[in-house]
Amino acid sequence: MEALVRETVLKNDVEGPIRAIGGLGANSYFKNSVYQRRAANVTKDIIDEVITKKLDVKSLSSASNRTICLADFGCAVGPNTFTSLQSLIDIVKKKYLSQFPNEPMPEFQVFFNDQPSNDFNTLFRSLPPDREYFAAGVPGSFHGRVFPKSSLHVVQSNYALHWLSKVPESLVDKNSPAWNKGKIHYAGASDEVLKAYRERWAEDLNNFLNARAEEIVPGGMLIVIMPSIPDGMPYSELANGILYSSFESTLLDMSKRENLLRVEKNGCFDIEAIGLTNPAPWLTDDVHVDMKEYVRHIRAPMEGMFTKHFPNEIVDEMFEQLLVNKLPKVFDKMERAYKDKIQSYYVLQRK
């Protein structure tokens, strides 16, 4: 299988879009995204405070025919996108009422953005029936423009921007010093591999910011929440690093048996709030994660990445082996790895 892995990575369309598991089944993202929602909620008070202080709702609504437009980049299929966007609408409404109690409330238009392969059918079937906004879907990669110029007022991207636009080319070149032979991730990889990922990430982030700078009105807000790695901390010490090491070990075991932050440089936004948080402060000595539930939460957004390289039956077995044989040995260590400074948040205002 090791040879199969290498050749599949080279031949398959690894740069095509990867989507979360759609539908409402047991392994769907819709049913398995609670941890992401909890992690994003850690920053809610900070975001609310910045919007309250900095967003000029009167000028935004006046300049847009009394319609305030919001967008979620990397919305997946819900329900997290509904919760977070409604929270943003609530804080905008609260500020508007406090400033203009005798004026009618502006209307709200919400745009849900994700890759064209995203399960928008499930997303729209699941829309809250009592929502206070008009809804529309906008397919396309957020690494480029997907909206008209100066058409958005409040934008968010929660746990989506860490997905790269494509695999760094040097990683799939056997003659490159960044050829990551025998590994499926960069935990413990060479400096050349890390450099390839850093360069890809820097270009993707700059493209994302430039695209949003075109789409967001002056004074509009951009909110990003994503995983983070503190300076000096090896990736192998993070929960995701431990998880990917378990994936790698599982695949190698199967092969034996079968023989086989650049915001300032960008210059388009002012940083109103930036920081690092613990995405799981609710974990304590007495409160733990259910391992089977955790695997479902991992599988929901990531299965599409593995099915690009392996048949479905291999992927099914990999997750089963991960749950039965690998994670029980490291799960306590993974829980302890959820600590301060591994989730970053950014609240930016368009200049």
Side-chain angles (χ1 to χ4, degrees), residues 112-117 120 137-141 146:
F112 298 93
N113 162 261
D114 213 311
Q115 296 282 3
S117 59
F120 284 101
V138 181
S141 170
V146 290

Side-chain angles (χ1 to χ4, degrees), residues 112-151:
F112 298 93
N113 162 261
D114 213 311
Q115 296 282 3
S117 59
N118 186 56
D119 186 0
F120 284 101
N121 287 333
T122 294
L123 176 76
F124 288 116
R125 282 199 299 266
S126 306
L127 279 168
D130 57 346
R131 61 188 180 277
E132 303 174 287
Y133 52 83
F134 297 94
V138 181
S141 170
F142 56 50
H143 292 106
R145 286 277 307 279
V146 290
F147 288 93
K149 288 185 177 182
S150 300
S151 60

Side-chain angles (χ1 to χ4, degrees), residues 218-282:
M221 309 297 294
L222 169 60
I223 301 143
V224 176
I225 301 172
M226 60 186 299
S228 180
I229 304 177
D231 290 340
M233 178 181 285
Y235 182 75
S236 57
E237 292 184 10
L238 296 178
N240 281 348
I242 299 170
L243 174 67
Y244 273 103
S245 294
S246 297
F247 274 127
E248 181 180 282
S249 177
T250 299
L251 288 170
L252 290 176
D253 285 350
M254 291 169 64
S255 70
K256 292 176 183 177
R257 190 189 69 230
E258 302 176 12
N259 193 27
L260 300 169
L261 193 64
R262 308 204 174 239
V263 173
E264 288 183 349
K265 185 177 180 179
N266 177 266
C268 298
F269 294 88
D270 287 323
I271 300 174
E272 299 300 343
I274 184 171
L276 299 168
T277 62
N278 180 349
W282 48 272

Side-chain angles (χ1 to χ4, degrees), residues 5-74:
V5 172
R6 293 199 299 268
E7 293 306 315
T8 304
V9 169
L10 289 172
K11 293 178 181 178
N12 277 13
D13 178 20
V14 295
E15 296 180 7
I18 297 171
R19 70 170 192 173
I21 297 178
L24 298 173
N27 291 326
S28 67
Y29 187 84
F30 193 96
K31 294 287 183 67
N32 298 282
S33 53
V34 173
Y35 296 145
Q36 293 92 326
R37 180 163 68 252
R38 287 180 177 178
N41 283 344
V42 171
T43 64
K44 182 180 183 302
D45 290 344
I46 297 170
I47 293 169
D48 288 357
E49 181 180 0
V50 174
I51 291 177
T52 299
K53 289 181 178 179
K54 293 291 184 176
L55 189 66
D56 186 351
V57 292
K58 178 64 173 180
S59 64
L60 292 184
S61 62
S62 299
S64 58
N65 297 320
R66 298 190 51 75
T67 300
I68 294 179
C69 296
L70 302 91
D72 184 7
F73 288 87

